[in-house]
Amino acid sequence: MKFKFIIAVILSALYLQGCTTNTTSMFGDDRSQLMLISEEKLNQEAKESYDQVLAQAKAQKTLNADKKFYNRVKKISDRLIKVAPELRADCKDWNWEINTIKESTVNAWCMPGGKIVVYTGLNDTLKLNDNELAAVIGHEISHAIKEHLREQRSQAELQTSATKIASLLGVKKSITNTANVAYQAAFAMPFSRDQESESDKLGLELMYKANFDPNGAVTVMEKMNQFEKKAQAESGDKPNAASAFLNKITSTHPASEDRANDLKELIQKHGLKAEVK
C-alpha cells in the first residue's frame, strides 16, 4: 500500500509537469495531453525516418512517379496546410513536405513536423474524389498537429518510469510485468482508438475550413467499410496481405461504419457544408 502511494505521487508529479494543450478546435473539446518527450527530438527522428523512406522510394523509382497524382495530392495538401494554423498556430513554421509513392499500399500518413506521404494504392483501390482525398490527408495531418505519436511515446515513458520506480522500491518483477500487460491491454489500445476518432474530427474541421465538402469524410469511410468487408471475405482464415491489413486496422481504429456515422452526426450538429468562394 505504501509503495503504491509513493509511486502514485511520483507519477502524478510527472503527469502534471508534462500536460499541455496544443490545439484550438471549432468544436470546443480540446483536451490536455501528456507530453514528456521532447518535440524537437521526435521531429528530428521523424525527419530522419522520412528521408529514409523517400530515399528508398527514389531508388525504386516510385517516388512521385505518378505526376498527375502527385500534383493532385500537393494541391489538396497545400489547401489543408494553409488553414492548419487555425487549429495549431505554431505549425505555420513547420517545414512541411508532401510526397507520393507509387505502390499498391492503401495508406497515407503524416509524421511529426508535417512530413506527408500518400500511396497511389489508396486512390487506385478506393477511387477517391478530391473531397475524399482531402478527408484522408486532413485526418493524417491532424495526427501530426495533435502530436499523437509524441503523446503515445510519452505514455509509454510514463509506464516505463512506473515500472522502474516500482523495481527500485522492491516491488516484485511478476507484479510489474502484470502491470505492463495491463497497460497494453487496458490503456494503450483504447487510447489509440481515441486518437483515431479525434483525428477524424479535426480532419473534418481542416477540410471544412479549406472549403472542401465535409461529406467527403463520410463517403470515404463508407468506401473504407466496403474495402474492409471485401478484404475480410478474401482473407478467410488465411494469413495473407489482406487479412494482415485488416487486423492492423481493426486493432487500432474504430469501425469505419461507426466513424462514418459519427462524422454524419457532427456535420449535421454543426451545420457544416462547403461554401463557394
Side-chain angles (χ1 to χ4, degrees), residues 14-15 18 31 33-49 111-112 143 146-162 183-184 187-188 191-192 195:
L14 285 172
Y15 187 88
R31 63 184 175 84
Q33 296 171 271
L34 179 66
M35 298 297 187
L36 298 176
I37 304 298
S38 163
E39 179 182 358
E40 292 74 17
K41 181 177 183 293
L42 190 60
N43 286 356
Q44 181 59 38
E45 290 178 6
K47 172 62 176 171
E48 292 171 0
S49 296
M111 286 185 176
H143 279 305
K146 198 62 184 175
E147 294 192 279
H148 283 155
L149 180 58
R150 184 181 172 206
E151 184 177 33
Q152 281 189 333
R153 291 269 293 269
S154 296
Q155 293 288 2
E157 181 71 20
L158 186 67
Q159 191 271 333
T160 299
S161 297
Y183 170 82
Q184 293 297 330
F187 187 78
F191 189 76
S192 180
Q195 287 180 328

Side-chain angles (χ1 to χ4, degrees), residues 24-37:
T24 303
S25 171
M26 63 184 281
F27 299 124
D29 53 358
D30 300 286
R31 63 184 175 84
S32 181
Q33 296 171 271
L34 179 66
M35 298 297 187
L36 298 176
I37 304 298

